[in-house]
Amino acid sequence: MAHRPSPTTISADAASADAMFDQNHRLMEEIQRLHRNIARRPDGFEMGVRWHRTGVGVEYLYRQGQLVCRAGDLATALAAFDAIGQPGPEVAHGPADLRVLDVGDRDAADLADALASTLGRDDLVTPNHVLDSQVHMAMCPATEPVPSDGPVRDLPEPFGTRRSSVAVVDTGFVHALADEAGYQRFSAVTGDSRADAQVYADGSDRIEPYGGHGTAAAACLLAVSGAESTSVHVDSCLVGGAVDEVTVVDALTAAVESGADVVSLQAGMYTREHVASVAFAAFRDEVLAAHPDTVVVAAAGNNGSDEKFWPAAFDWVTSVGGLTEDGSARAGWSNHGEWVDVYAPGDNVTVPFPNGTYEYHGGVTAEFSGGHAVWSGTSFATPAVAGLIARRMIEDGVDAPTARDRVLADAADAELAGVGPRLLSD
């Protein structure tokens, strides 16, 4: 006799299907948001989306019309185009000795699949993947901002004779917010920091979803590092919440070559077939290897997954997961796994935030008037760890790699059972 599902089973299955539909509906809204934001970039491009085979969630994002490979692999890549009967690409030089292959209006992901099949390798020619401040199941920080009157919680200024220089690679800096929030430590942000150009929509007071993200990250860093012995440069490559990997490698290269001791990146990506990013691997070999005194810190992501998130998953990056507000547990939204180096509080963090009207999913709005928000995500745990490394440089008079090692040793001593090394900044 065939098994007949009970009404309870049918109801549970229907509820699960509804939840999947709601999740994908929201994800589609956020993808459309990224499409709009990217189109408004000075270097706007078309973003491609590869959905999971299950139809739930995104496998990876990529820049249409471009593939990437390393210079040493170019001849092999071009031969593979011939082997699959495709016209060869236009080739441009990228940062870190990368080669950017312009494939015109052909779908970059489909072309990468065909080339990988011929090459027998997935890591030689890849899409130019797109990073954003979350990706995968919900393309935003772990939560959306909630109005707050502040203030930011600061550690006392560190005592020491050494100075530290930190680069925050994010959405840029809202110079007006330094006055609105009254956050005095923004005095450490250098005058050449790039402005966040997409804070408000169309000249209105409507705050864009990623507006102020870089400014909030800079505040999280300065709350720990102090401002008297630290200078902070905020880059704006993550305009609109997303950036392709070649562009962010260019920004990282500029930060390292300008002399930054610590670089804090509040973004990441998943990749085609989960391979390690070709662009970031080239950055490590061609740029960072020549500047061994620079430390890179990156967000582990907010997907609640153990799937590797790049560039955080590289062993040369200090990857940061998120803890609950009191540091007693891993935040449910935080990515995790053996590739995450350290966890720090990233839940309900008070940060400076633009004043204006913010629209949440579903059309509900909130008015921000106190110059602050409460926000959650590894985007806010990451700069706190970068700030602790800068602080240790100042206090101990050591270089950034030594400071990082000492900070991670402290984290190992405070390891949280079942989670991993833990840092608490108070």
Side-chain angles (χ1 to χ4, degrees):
M1 177 183 292
H3 172 70
R4 177 176 297 174
S6 69
T8 301
T9 302
I10 294 173
S11 176
D13 289 345
S16 177
D18 286 346
M20 291 169 57
F21 174 82
D22 289 344
Q23 183 180 62
N24 267 13
H25 180 70
R26 173 168 177 171
L27 186 55
M28 182 58 75
E29 287 182 342
E30 294 181 0
I31 288 170
Q32 291 170 349
R33 173 192 290 172
L34 287 183
H35 277 301
R36 291 192 299 270
N37 287 353
I38 290 170
R40 293 169 54 200
R41 291 176 62 104
D43 58 344
F45 58 88
E46 181 184 355
M47 185 180 73
V49 181
R50 181 56 63 93
W51 290 85
H52 276 295
R53 296 173 181 86
T54 61
V56 180
V58 169
E59 185 178 344
Y60 62 89
L61 306 173
Y62 59 100
R63 180 169 178 158
Q64 282 289 17
Q66 289 187 353
L67 299 172
V68 295
C69 71
R70 301 182 73 157
D73 294 325
L74 180 60
T76 303
L78 295 178
F81 275 86
D82 290 338
I84 63 174
Q86 285 283 339
E90 295 289 329
V91 180
H93 287 243
D97 211 24
L98 288 165
R99 295 296 180 265
V100 180
L101 313 181
D102 186 339
V103 298
D105 59 3
R106 289 170 285 179
D107 184 86
D110 289 345
L111 199 50
D113 289 344
L115 292 168
S117 179
T118 294
L119 292 165
R121 293 178 57 180
D122 292 306
D123 60 347
L124 196 147
V125 182
T126 72
N128 184 3
H129 298 97
V130 167
L131 297 80
D132 89 325
S133 56
Q134 161 51 34
V135 92
H136 210 40
M137 298 297 285
M139 293 176 184
C140 59
T143 65
E144 294 190 270
V146 175
S148 169
D149 291 329
V152 175
R153 293 178 58 193
D154 289 336
L155 290 183
E157 287 284 344
F159 291 101
T161 58
R162 183 169 183 130
R163 291 191 58 83
S164 65
S165 173
V166 185
V168 175
V169 178
D170 210 293
T171 64
F173 186 70
V174 185
H175 293 275
L177 185 53
D179 297 327
E180 289 180 3
Y183 188 52
Q184 295 183 352
R185 288 191 178 181
F186 278 150
S187 62
V189 176
T190 61
D192 64 342
S193 291
R194 297 185 181 182
D196 188 332
Q198 294 187 0
V199 180
Y200 296 103
D202 304 322
S204 69
D205 74 339
R206 183 165 62 84
I207 305 165
E208 292 282 28
Y210 301 93
H213 191 272
T215 308
C220 291
L221 189 149
L222 288 165
V224 177
S225 70
E228 294 176 1
S229 299
T230 301
S231 63
V232 176
H233 173 84
V234 186
D235 199 287
S236 64
C237 81
L238 196 65
V239 176
V243 62
D244 64 276
E245 58 185 311
V246 172
T247 299
V248 78
V249 163
D250 193 31
L252 292 174
T253 298
V256 171
E257 293 182 345
S258 71
D261 299 304
V262 184
V263 181
S264 184
L265 173 63
Q266 291 68 234
M269 65 190 185
Y270 294 105
T271 59
R272 180 188 173 277
E273 297 299 330
H274 315 293
V275 299
S277 163
V278 170
F280 284 105
F283 164 75
R284 165 64 180 85
D285 294 342
E286 303 296 333
V287 179
L288 201 59
H291 297 83
D293 289 342
T294 300
V295 167
V296 177
V297 185
N302 310 322
N303 197 48
S305 168
D306 63 359
E307 183 180 334
K308 288 185 175 179
F309 191 65
W310 306 99
F314 280 108
D315 60 8
W316 48 269
V317 173
T318 301
S319 56
V320 184
L323 298 175
T324 54
E325 187 174 359
D326 64 0
S328 64
R330 176 174 62 84
W333 41 257
S334 176
N335 284 353
H336 52 91
E338 48 81 24
W339 53 274
V340 180
D341 294 308
V342 64
Y343 294 83
D347 208 24
N348 294 326
V349 179
T350 300
V351 295
F353 193 78
N355 289 329
T357 302
Y358 186 90
E359 183 175 337
Y360 299 97
H361 285 280
V364 176
T365 61
E367 295 298 322
F368 285 78
S369 59
H372 292 81
V374 172
W375 218 346
S376 299
T378 53
S379 288
F380 312 113
T382 299
V385 171
L388 284 171
I389 295 171
R391 185 182 187 91
R392 185 59 66 89
M393 287 181 64
I394 297 162
E395 291 178 333
D396 293 1
V398 297
D399 62 14
T402 302
R404 173 203 57 205
D405 292 347
R406 293 181 182 181
V407 167
L408 291 180
D410 290 344
D413 290 341
E415 181 172 355
L416 186 62
V419 177
R422 172 178 57 168
L423 283 173
L424 302 176
S425 58
D426 51 9

